[in-house]
């Protein structure tokens, strides 16, 4: 019998929030939107990317703005070395 376990990487096995914040703030800043603090992000993270970006943009969450920030965020995140993304304590032992 084959067994398979699938885990979500971001926020489940690895703490990626710092790199996520850096990339979102780059995307926001380069497009003229205000950046957020860690605490503000923590309140908004979770769910799908459209919901997250909508919450981040608050009252400027038009479809066009959401797509713009998503595109730029994904570019920055994909190109990032993710130097601040580390496994949660004991996650490697659990695996």
């Amino acid at each position: 019998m084959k067994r398979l376990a699938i885990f979500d990487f971001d926020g489940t096995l690895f703490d990626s929030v710092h790199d996520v914040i850096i990339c979102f703030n780059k995307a926001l800043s380069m497009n003229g939107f205000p950046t957020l603090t860690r605490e503000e992000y923590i309140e908004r993270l979770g769910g799908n990317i459209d919901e997250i970006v909508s919450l981040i943009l608050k009252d400027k969450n038009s479809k066009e703005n959401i797509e713009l920030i998503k595109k730029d965020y994904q570019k920055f995140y994909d190109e990032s070395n993710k130097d601040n993304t580390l496994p949660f304590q004991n996650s490697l032992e659990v695996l």
Side-chain angles (χ1 to χ4, degrees):
M1 171 191 283
K2 292 183 181 183
R3 292 183 182 203
L4 173 68
I6 299 174
F7 293 92
D8 179 21
F9 177 83
D10 277 350
T12 302
L13 297 176
F14 283 73
D15 184 357
S16 58
V17 73
H18 191 71
D19 287 318
V20 167
I21 290 169
I22 290 169
C23 295
F24 265 127
N25 277 342
K26 278 186 185 178
L28 291 168
S29 180
M30 76 174 276
N31 288 290
F33 294 102
T35 59
L36 280 69
T37 66
R38 178 182 174 88
E39 291 75 26
E40 291 172 312
Y41 277 109
I42 297 300
E43 294 171 358
R44 292 164 173 83
L45 294 176
N48 72 52
I49 188 73
D50 289 327
E51 293 168 354
I52 293 168
V53 175
S54 178
L55 292 171
I56 289 169
L57 290 172
K58 302 175 191 169
D59 61 336
K60 301 214 182 333
N61 64 353
S62 68
K63 184 173 180 149
E64 295 80 17
N65 287 344
I66 290 170
E67 290 304 315
L68 177 67
I69 296 304
K70 268 183 15 182
K71 179 182 68 94
D72 289 338
Y73 163 76
Q74 194 64 56
K75 177 180 179 269
F76 290 133
Y77 192 77
D78 290 347
E79 293 173 353
S80 167
N81 290 333
K82 296 164 193 69
D83 294 327
N84 302 293
T85 297
L86 302 169
F88 283 113
Q89 186 176 3
N90 299 324
S91 65
L92 298 178
E93 290 82 5
V94 169
L95 291 174

